[in-house]
Amino acid sequence: MDEVKKGINEVEEALECSLGISTKGNEEVDVEEEEEEEGEGGDGEEEEEEEDDDDDDDNEGEGKYMFRFKDGINPFDFVEDNATSGVQPYEQFERLEYEALAEKKRKLLANSQCEGSVKKARQEDTSGVNIDEIMEAMNFGVRRKSRKPKKRGRRKGSKNKLSPKITRMLGDATLHYAHGRYEVAVSVLHEVIRLAPNLPDPYHTLGLVQKALGDDKKASNFYMIAAHLTPKDSSLWRQLFTWSIEKGNIGQASYCLSKAIMADPRDVTLRLHRASLHVELGDYQKAAESYEQIYQLTHDNIEALKTGAKLYLKCGQLEHSIRILEDYVKGHPSEADTSVIDLLAAIFMESNAYDKALQLIEHANLVYFSGKELPLNLTIKEGICHVHLKNMEKAEILFSVLRRDSVNDHVDLIAGAADSLMSLEHYDSALKYYMMLEGSAKGDNGFLHLKIARCYIFLKQRLQAIFFLYKALQMLEDNIEARLTLASLLLEEAKEDEAISLLAPPKNLDSIELPPEKSKPWWLNEKVKLKLCNIYRAKAMVEDFVDTIFPLVRESLYVEIHHPKVPVKPRLTQKELAKRAKVLDDLETESVFHGFRPLVHPSDLSRAARARRELQRRKAEALASGADWQSDYSDDDSMQEIHRESPLPNLLKDEEHHRLIIDLCKSLASLQRYWEALEIINLTLRLAHNMLSVEKEEELRSLGAQIAYNTTDPKHGFDCVKYIVQQHPYSLAAWNCYYKVISRVENRDSRHFKFLRGMLSKLQDCAPPIIIYAHQFTMASNHQHAARKYLEAYKLLPENPLINLCVGTALINLALGFRLQNKHQCLAQGLAFLYNNFRLRGNSQEALYNIARAYHHVGLVTLAASYYEKVLAIREKDYPNPKLPCENPDIVENLKPGYCDIRREAAYNLHLIYKKSGALDLARQVLKDHCTI
């Protein structure tokens, strides 16, 4: 039973290998197992070249697969193109191998079940049966196994020797090839293959012939068949591997390389090639395992050990990397390679295990360098460990070996010591070692100057920091952080103009040629622009401030609106899809075994399969719709959406940026760029209504309302003034702001009437919305409804001069209509309200003018003339215009003197009365006295 299970396990492993699956998680073959398999083969290649059916059965029983052409299979079908069947040659080989191994597994499972049933019957039916019957039942139908161990390999005398005819034909074909008679050689070799299809020699010779004829494809195919018929011949696999690499077929190359390693497990060069392939494909785990196996084969190969440790570290296996290096140190108690100790110490230090690194270096000093001077690199690492362990005195003693006269030989060591000191805020000590590198041929670079400047910054020596930052920018022009740091230092030194010149774009932009790989120059960087706009804002350079920051803010807001936070997966172009699918069909028509599982990550394989399906779907859709299917590389970039990144990603989350947006809108308004200001306000309120503070949101809306009545089309500011009224429903200033915007809308906005009706239903005790509603009736010449609404407001505020004026004018206009019967009564009531307004205003010029205008309107010109004369007798002083809540009260308006005096209007109306009555001299005199410029 154990032997059967062992056979099943061997067959399962063979199946997994044929499918490209490894139960150990990688494709490596254990060295010892490979050597054991090679040793058990026993009798060399000749014994494997041509075996009878009994030998094949023996191999199958052991779970090993040997490729052989069965009856009915034409070997040349695996060489020529098989376009009609649709099945690629490599798929036939894989299917044959899979079916053979699966059949072996089924046989072993059947045998195990049979043996298990026999044992069960023995246990159940032993009672009442004598020993002879039991033995007879045990031996019935089951062949007794020999207790002698089964020999591996060919049984003695079972080898089929080549017939003299075939031997002679092979010799003739070889001679024909040597003398350049390739066609004759091909015909002879074809006949040999017909007689002995499983003989590898004719395939090998045919490969040589086709190579000489220049047909690399057929040559590679014949070599492939020959290699499969002699799997232990590593030279054939090597040759196939070399050709595959030359053609760029990485999948086939990795397959042939694995077969070559199985044929010659101790060949280190082959394993180095496989490790390099893994590194090239980014599979660092398998590459590290390969290098570790190389070291196990050749313990003198220290580079393989170190490379494996570095790759383990790269793929995140820190403990494994440390373990293999520690095993090396433990295995060399008296003498060890210094580079291994140095690498292990460096790994300890990178993982912050400075105490372990120090113990390792001290152990090496005692054991490996007893009586000798410790290498300089280990001495410096020991000093760095002491720095991190807060033993500065010991560290300074160790660092004292660094001298200025040998700087060029130890640049990395000096820089490492200085970096460790600076990371622990020992800036004085770090500066001392950085200055040793300053001016040296190897160490003097821009990054060194940045580090020196950083030390000076922490030491509060700004002038020295500025000097070294300028030196750094000469070499690192595109270093944004260095440029911003230098600008901040210049601002601290009150050198604003110098900071502006540092951050502003170069003046000769047209003459600057950017290299193709440089996507964005430093002056287009968002951080640089943000810093520059803050300087402009502080210096009140409004125009420069707006020109710098407005494009960034606008683009950021539009990106936030049109592109959601979760980016939508773009539609890939056919060119990109074909590139991904190339992993599956790479060089499909170039080789017999082109389809071997490529050495790539499983995620790349699944992505390639999806790409191929998508290409097929698009092609089917194009053909079904009658569209032209150009090629797999037809570009459809216009159909895909590109997810743009926001230039200022934290624009709506940062409190400082909120202030920036408000200042930008105010600056735009001051420059009379009202549309752009309203655009920024509306976008910000739409996106960040739940992020802005209440004060900033109200400030933005107030600013939008103020801008709205300065634009030619104020309807864009309706939402702002509506919000102000909703927040302050009983504020006269808020309603004044609202009506100032609405009154300038030429076509009545439906939103206004809907909002006003809603406010009237909610605020029945509030007069401003009633007055505004009545104003709408007045503008529509519907004086009856206007008078009714004005009277409703009058009931709420009977002593309000404005309401009395509005009621009076509405009643007078109503009295002049045609349908009203009691016109005189209505006129008298209107005049009464005007006199009431005169009483409340305290004999003001405006109230007298309103009465005179009313008399003039109804035709009582005598009374009108007397009141116009009273108006002319009064000189009204100027009063400041009332400020809305969104307006700055400190702004002084540039108004001409006398803007509150209405004597010119009264004089003009009076001259009309005189002129109509025939008193032309009086009319002319009034105009001359009061209306002359």
Side-chain angles (χ1 to χ4, degrees), residues 819-832:
R819 293 182 296 176
L820 193 64
Q821 296 180 357
N822 53 346
K823 296 182 180 181
H824 297 290
Q825 180 182 356
C826 186
L827 177 61
Q829 290 175 346
L831 291 172

Side-chain angles (χ1 to χ4, degrees), residues 107 142 210 213 215 238 261 278 381 400 465 658 766 787 919:
K107 288 181 180 179
V142 180
Q210 296 297 335
L213 292 173
D215 194 340
R238 281 173 175 270
I261 292 173
H278 287 308
K381 282 185 171 59
S400 63
H658 294 167
C766 186

Side-chain angles (χ1 to χ4, degrees), residues 569-827:
K569 185 180 293 185
R571 176 185 169 92
L572 294 174
T573 62
Q574 289 172 205
K575 184 176 180 180
E576 180 66 23
L577 289 174
K579 183 179 178 181
R580 292 187 179 186
K582 192 174 183 295
V583 175
L584 294 179
D585 54 8
D586 187 21
L587 298 176
E588 281 191 346
T589 61
E590 294 298 323
S591 172
V592 172
F593 291 92
H594 59 271
F596 294 119
R597 181 180 295 273
L599 190 62
V600 294
H601 198 273
S603 63
D604 294 334
L605 289 176
S606 61
R607 186 174 66 169
R610 290 195 301 271
R612 174 180 283 181
R613 290 195 297 270
E614 177 65 16
L615 278 174
Q616 294 172 352
R617 184 187 66 80
R618 292 188 188 180
K619 184 175 181 178
E621 290 179 355
L623 295 176
S625 61
D628 292 333
W629 177 258
Q630 299 175 358
S631 68
D632 286 345
Y633 292 93
S634 60
D635 201 359
D636 52 1
D637 286 334
S638 60
M639 301 178 64
Q640 67 176 345
E641 296 180 3
I642 301 175
H643 178 72
R644 291 189 302 168
E645 293 292 335
S646 174
L648 301 174
N650 296 321
L651 178 65
L652 301 176
K653 298 179 182 179
D654 196 340
E655 188 75 17
E656 183 179 352
H657 286 166
H658 294 167
R659 186 72 259 168
L660 177 66
I661 292 175
I662 294 174
D663 291 342
L664 173 61
C665 294
K666 289 181 177 179
S667 300
L668 287 169
S670 66
L671 297 174
Q672 297 184 357
R673 296 166 63 174
Y674 300 121
W675 292 111
E676 294 169 341
L678 279 176
E679 182 184 22
I680 298 298
I681 290 173
N682 290 332
L683 289 174
T684 305
L685 293 175
R686 178 179 172 184
L687 290 170
H689 62 278
N690 57 346
M691 301 180 189
L692 293 170
S693 62
V694 177
E695 296 80 9
K696 286 187 172 57
E697 183 175 0
E698 188 162 347
E699 186 176 0
L700 265 181
R701 293 186 184 275
S702 300
L703 184 61
Q706 178 185 351
I707 295 172
Y709 55 74
N710 289 323
T711 59
T712 56
D713 189 3
K715 64 182 179 181
H716 296 285
F718 174 78
D719 292 332
C720 295
V721 293
K722 185 178 76 171
Y723 175 81
I724 293 174
V725 170
Q726 288 174 336
Q727 296 299 314
H728 309 282
Y730 291 96
S731 171
L732 292 178
W735 282 106
N736 283 338
C737 180
Y738 175 82
Y739 189 66
K740 188 172 183 180
V741 172
I742 293 301
S743 62
R744 295 185 64 249
V745 179
E746 296 179 0
N747 298 322
R748 295 294 165 233
D749 196 336
S750 59
R751 296 178 299 171
H752 160 62
F753 293 104
K754 184 178 179 180
F755 170 71
L756 201 58
R757 284 194 294 268
M759 296 300 289
L760 284 172
S761 61
K762 294 178 182 178
L763 307 172
Q764 297 181 358
D765 59 341
C766 186
I770 301 174
I771 297 173
I772 294 174
Y773 203 63
H775 287 344
Q776 304 303 315
F777 286 124
T778 300
M779 295 174 69
S781 298
N782 193 343
H783 303 294
Q784 184 176 0
H785 288 86
R788 183 182 298 112
K789 286 297 178 182
Y790 285 136
L791 288 172
E792 289 181 12
Y794 177 77
K795 293 178 182 179
L796 296 174
L797 298 172
E799 298 298 318
N800 187 283
L802 176 62
I803 295 177
N804 282 274
L805 175 63
C806 292
V807 173
T809 55
L811 291 174
I812 292 172
N813 287 323
L814 183 61
L816 297 177
F818 296 101
R819 293 182 296 176
L820 193 64
Q821 296 180 357
N822 53 346
K823 296 182 180 181
H824 297 290
Q825 180 182 356
C826 186
L827 177 61

Side-chain angles (χ1 to χ4, degrees), residues 825-893:
Q825 180 182 356
C826 186
L827 177 61
Q829 290 175 346
L831 291 172
F833 278 101
L834 291 180
Y835 276 101
N836 198 23
N837 172 64
F838 174 71
R839 176 183 61 84
L840 294 173
R841 293 297 305 274
N843 196 24
S844 69
Q845 186 188 55
E846 182 184 357
L848 290 170
Y849 178 81
N850 289 329
I851 295 174
R853 187 68 187 85
Y855 282 131
H856 192 179
H857 187 56
V858 300
L860 300 175
V861 293
T862 304
L863 294 173
S866 64
Y867 277 95
Y868 281 137
E869 291 174 353
K870 292 180 180 180
V871 172
L872 295 176
I874 299 175
R875 181 181 295 274
E876 192 75 26
K877 65 179 182 179
D878 292 334
Y879 294 96
N881 288 332
K883 294 288 184 180
L884 299 177
C886 58
E887 295 178 324
N888 188 357
D890 298 329
I891 297 178
V892 179
E893 297 178 280

Side-chain angles (χ1 to χ4, degrees), residues 392-444:
M392 285 299 299
E393 294 182 1
K394 181 66 175 178
E396 289 291 346
I397 294 173
L398 294 170
F399 289 156
S400 63
V401 298
L402 299 172
R403 297 193 180 99
R404 188 175 292 273
D405 54 358
S406 60
V407 167
N408 291 330
D409 298 330
H410 310 296
V411 170
D412 294 336
L413 296 178
I414 297 173
D419 291 342
S420 64
L421 289 168
M422 188 174 70
S423 65
L424 296 176
E425 301 181 358
H426 299 292
Y427 302 111
D428 284 323
S429 301
L431 190 59
K432 177 177 67 174
Y433 295 104
Y434 282 137
M435 295 304 292
M436 289 175 62
L437 297 175
E438 210 269 332
S440 65
K442 296 182 179 179
D444 193 5

Side-chain angles (χ1 to χ4, degrees), residues 355-471:
D355 52 346
K356 293 183 179 180
L358 185 59
Q359 292 175 6
L360 173 67
I361 296 172
E362 290 176 348
H363 171 75
N365 192 17
L366 292 175
V367 176
Y368 305 128
F369 302 100
S370 180
K372 304 177 184 178
E373 185 178 355
L374 191 67
L376 186 60
N377 56 341
L378 293 179
T379 302
I380 299 305
K381 282 185 171 59
E382 183 181 2
I384 294 174
C385 292
H386 281 294
V387 170
H388 284 272
L389 296 175
K390 303 185 184 308
N391 190 355
M392 285 299 299
E393 294 182 1
K394 181 66 175 178
E396 289 291 346
I397 294 173
L398 294 170
F399 289 156
S400 63
V401 298
L402 299 172
R403 297 193 180 99
R404 188 175 292 273
D405 54 358
S406 60
V407 167
N408 291 330
D409 298 330
H410 310 296
V411 170
D412 294 336
L413 296 178
I414 297 173
D419 291 342
S420 64
L421 289 168
M422 188 174 70
S423 65
L424 296 176
E425 301 181 358
H426 299 292
Y427 302 111
D428 284 323
S429 301
L431 190 59
K432 177 177 67 174
Y433 295 104
Y434 282 137
M435 295 304 292
M436 289 175 62
L437 297 175
E438 210 269 332
S440 65
K442 296 182 179 179
D444 193 5
N445 55 54
F447 293 105
L448 173 64
H449 295 147
L450 282 179
K451 294 175 182 178
I452 295 174
R454 192 172 294 116
C455 289
Y456 277 124
I457 290 172
F458 285 109
L459 294 173
K460 307 299 182 183
Q461 300 181 28
R462 288 198 294 264
L463 294 178
Q464 290 85 346
I466 291 173
F467 172 76
F468 280 100
L469 282 172
Y470 269 121
K471 292 187 68 174

Side-chain angles (χ1 to χ4, degrees), residues 65-95:
Y65 174 76
M66 291 288 294
F67 173 76
R68 291 291 181 267
F69 288 109
K70 303 297 183 182
D71 294 337
I73 297 179
N74 185 5
F76 295 102
D77 291 340
F78 292 84
V79 178
E80 303 296 336
D81 290 333
N82 193 3
T84 57
S85 64
V87 179
Q88 300 296 335
Y90 83 93
E91 294 175 336
Q92 298 181 34
F93 282 103
E94 285 186 337
R95 187 180 69 248

